[in-house]
């Protein structure tokens, strides 16, 4: 039997590049928006001294257990605070901890390896499991509840917007017909309902897109990301760094828009004198991608893009 450790929970992507991008000051205040297995947090903590501090966010109770699993852990020091919360509430928590501003923020937006490997969470089409897909198992609507209650039109919109599936209407119709005879309860139910509209030549890709769309909707990921980026712009001190790793075009486009314009649409606003109102500036013209070696050893990294920006 494999012993569960923080390292097996999740292998951090672009670890050195993303933390280097923060230009960590030893006495600075930083936030890791996605604690996961703690890999990025641990690397940030290595670069802090006694006066520095790191706040790490995660809404998943499983992630919090990694603090205890790591026997050689810097998480027990006074430099570290775990925040059991969705990262969309960054601004509220910084007020709670009486932080006037932060020097850097890192977010690895990808789903942890643990979530895909946990057969009972319903994130993967590899296992027959209950359709849950909630990052926070303590609250919110499950994927099963969504599939059984959304209208056909709502389902089609979810599949098209968040999965970029051209056959979104056919998939929604197939699910509506299936649930008329049997409630959607398991990943196998979903596969059975949609199998005639998944192209065999692109089966893995399209199923991944279908499950991604449901996961995004269940966890309100795009809304949460928008709110977090808005809070980041407010909380970062001038010269503070934003380091964000994305994995699909929807979130990457949103991050790119915020860096370019300070808002989700990418529209650059100007003041009365025509001066551009852009609170961030990109540190590099193109996103950083993992090395060929990292992509080989960590397949999850293959779609990753790292964007770094500085608060003006």
């Amino acid at each position: 039997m494999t012993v569960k450790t923080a390292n097996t929970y999740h292998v951090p992507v672009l670890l050195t590049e993303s933390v280097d991008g923060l230009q960590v000051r030893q006495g600075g205040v930083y936030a890791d928006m996605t604690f996961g297995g703690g890999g990025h947090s641990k690397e940030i903590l290595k670069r802090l001294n006694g006066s520095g501090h790191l706040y790490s966010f995660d809404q998943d109770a499983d992630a919090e257990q990694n603090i205890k699993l790591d026997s050689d852990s810097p998480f027990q020091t006074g430099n570290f605070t775990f925040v059991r919360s969705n990262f969309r509430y960054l601004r509220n928590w910084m007020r709670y901890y009486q932080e006037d501003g932060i020097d850097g923020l890192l977010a690895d937006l990808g789903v942890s390896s643990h979530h895909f490997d946990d057969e009972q969470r319903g994130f993967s089409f590899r296992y027959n499991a209950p359709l849950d897909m909630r990052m926070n198992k303590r609250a919110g609507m499950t994927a099963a509840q969504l599939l059984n209650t959304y209208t056909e039109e709502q389902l089609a919109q979810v599949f098209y917007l968040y999965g970029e599936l051209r056959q979104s209407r056919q998939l929604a119709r197939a699910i509506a017909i299936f649930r008329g005879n049997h409630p959607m309860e398991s990943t196998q139910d979903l596969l059975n309902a949609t199998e005639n509209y998944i192209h065999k030549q692109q089966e893995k890709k399209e199923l991944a897109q279908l499950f991604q769309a449901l996961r995004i909707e269940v966890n309100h990921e795009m809304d949460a990301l928008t709110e977090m980026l808005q809070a980041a712009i407010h909380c970062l001190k001038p010269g503070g760094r934003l380091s964000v790793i994305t994995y699909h075009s929807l979130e990457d486009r949103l991050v790119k828009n915020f860096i370019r314009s300070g808002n989700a649409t990418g529209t650059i606003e100007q003041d009365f004198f025509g001066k551009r109102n852009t609170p961030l500036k990109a540190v590099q013209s193109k996103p950083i991608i993992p090395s060929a070696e990292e992509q080989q050893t960590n397949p999850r990294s293959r779609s990753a893009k790292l964007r770094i920006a500085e608060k003006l």
Side-chain angles (χ1 to χ4, degrees), residues 217-236:
E217 179 69 8
V218 165
N219 295 288
H220 307 290
E221 290 180 27
M222 300 308 293
D223 290 338
L225 177 56
T226 298
E227 291 179 32
M228 185 273 282
L229 291 169
Q230 290 170 337
I233 290 172
H234 177 85
C235 292
L236 282 169

Side-chain angles (χ1 to χ4, degrees), residues 2-267:
T2 302
V3 177
K4 192 75 172 175
T5 67
N7 289 333
T8 59
Y9 182 99
H10 179 68
V11 179
V13 171
L14 288 162
L15 176 62
T16 302
E17 297 89 338
S18 60
V19 178
D20 283 351
L22 293 177
Q23 293 189 332
V24 176
R25 296 189 305 102
Q26 288 188 332
V29 177
Y30 295 87
D32 180 355
M33 297 288 89
T34 47
F35 180 75
H40 290 103
S41 285
K42 188 183 293 187
E43 185 62 28
I44 294 171
L45 285 167
K46 287 179 183 177
R47 307 185 189 197
L48 298 178
N49 63 18
S51 61
H53 202 87
L54 173 66
Y55 296 93
S56 290
F57 287 68
D58 210 301
Q59 62 184 331
D60 191 341
D62 289 354
E64 190 173 358
Q65 296 303 309
N66 289 317
I67 297 172
K68 303 171 185 176
L69 287 171
D70 195 330
S71 57
D72 182 24
S73 173
F75 304 133
Q76 312 304 326
T77 69
N79 302 80
F80 177 76
T81 300
F82 183 85
V83 183
R84 190 187 302 113
S85 173
N86 189 299
F87 60 37
R88 71 196 307 167
Y89 303 116
L90 167 68
R91 192 172 177 183
N92 293 346
W93 283 104
M94 291 303 96
R95 283 201 204 103
Y96 176 80
Y97 287 111
Q98 300 181 331
E99 295 289 358
D100 295 329
I102 58 178
D103 296 286
L105 179 150
L106 186 149
D108 177 355
L109 301 178
V111 180
S112 292
S113 311
H114 163 76
H115 290 121
F116 288 122
D117 293 338
D118 187 339
E119 298 182 19
Q120 297 305 308
R121 299 291 290 270
F123 284 96
S124 174
F125 54 83
R126 292 179 294 157
Y127 310 113
N128 185 21
L131 278 164
D132 193 317
M133 295 195 189
R134 292 172 300 169
M135 295 293 187
N136 180 358
K137 293 185 289 185
R138 300 180 295 271
M141 178 183 287
T142 66
Q145 290 170 321
L146 183 156
L147 287 165
N148 286 309
T149 59
Y150 272 31
T151 65
E152 194 174 319
E153 182 63 27
Q154 286 175 313
L155 288 174
Q157 287 180 348
V158 168
F159 300 148
Y160 183 77
L161 291 175
Y162 298 150
E164 300 180 295
L165 287 158
R166 293 181 181 180
Q167 68 273 42
S168 58
R169 291 188 179 278
Q170 293 98 314
L171 291 167
R173 181 62 185 152
I175 289 168
I177 292 171
F178 184 94
R179 73 189 185 190
N181 301 310
H182 183 281
M184 301 288 293
E185 296 175 342
S186 69
T187 55
Q188 190 60 52
D189 288 338
L190 180 57
L191 296 178
N192 291 342
T194 59
E195 62 180 344
N196 291 334
Y197 300 98
I198 297 294
H199 300 102
K200 296 303 178 185
Q201 303 91 329
Q202 303 184 73
E203 185 176 24
K204 287 185 178 180
K205 179 183 177 182
E206 291 187 358
L207 286 176
Q209 290 172 289
L210 176 63
F211 275 63
Q212 171 187 289
L214 287 170
R215 190 201 75 226
I216 290 174
E217 179 69 8
V218 165
N219 295 288
H220 307 290
E221 290 180 27
M222 300 308 293
D223 290 338
L225 177 56
T226 298
E227 291 179 32
M228 185 273 282
L229 291 169
Q230 290 170 337
I233 290 172
H234 177 85
C235 292
L236 282 169
K237 298 175 183 176
R241 289 290 187 96
L242 176 72
S243 184
V244 183
I245 304 168
T246 66
Y247 293 84
H248 58 76
S249 59
L250 299 173
E251 60 191 15
D252 186 61
R253 191 180 308 123
L254 186 56
V255 172
K256 183 179 179 180
N257 283 344
F258 263 93
I259 291 174
R260 178 175 181 268
S261 65
N263 60 63
T265 65
T267 304

Side-chain angles (χ1 to χ4, degrees), residues 268-278:
I268 297 176
E269 300 174 356
Q270 297 180 333
D271 64 16
F272 178 78
F273 301 101
K275 182 180 178 182
R276 291 158 56 105
N277 181 24
T278 51

